[in-house]
Amino acid sequence: MFNIDLDRVEAQLGATAALSVFNDAKLGNRAVMTTHYEDEETYEESTVVMMFTAAELDALARGIDRAREGLAAAEQGGVVGLATWAEKHAV
C-alpha cells in the first residue's frame, strides 16, 4: 500500500478534509478524501473516508465547479440570485 497526502482543508464548524492519492494491490489506484469532525459540545468525533476512481473524481470535480457557480450567484444576488441560477441550470 502506498499513500501520498496532497492537501488538507479546514472547513466550517470544526471539520477538516484531507485529500490523498492511494495505491493498493487489492483496491488499485484511488483518490481518497477523509473528513473528520469533532463536536465540541458533545466531544463526539466522526470520520468519513471516501475513495474515488479517476472517473468518479472527475464527476466530483464537476459538482464542485457547479457549487462554486451557485455560491458566486448567491454572493452576487442573495437567495434570488441563487434561485435564478438554479432555475437556469435546472437544479
Side-chain angles (χ1 to χ4, degrees), residues 1-87:
M1 179 171 61
F2 189 71
N3 188 61
I4 300 172
D5 291 328
L6 300 174
D7 206 352
R8 181 176 300 272
V9 177
E10 297 296 324
Q12 299 290 312
L13 304 174
T16 303
L19 186 62
S20 63
V21 175
F22 171 87
N23 174 275
D24 180 80
K26 291 181 182 177
L27 297 172
N29 300 313
R30 299 285 188 264
V32 179
M33 183 181 299
T34 305
T35 59
H36 179 81
Y37 173 74
E38 183 175 340
D39 187 324
E40 294 179 3
E41 292 181 17
T42 63
Y43 300 105
E44 292 182 10
E45 295 184 42
S46 62
T47 300
V48 175
V49 177
M50 299 176 354
M51 295 181 141
F52 301 95
T53 63
E56 293 163 343
L57 192 61
D58 288 343
L60 178 63
R62 286 189 298 275
I64 290 170
D65 288 343
R66 291 187 67 184
R68 239 188 236 120
E69 292 172 6
L71 286 172
E75 289 290 326
Q76 290 178 357
V79 71
V80 172
L82 181 57
T84 302
W85 176 86
E87 185 175 88

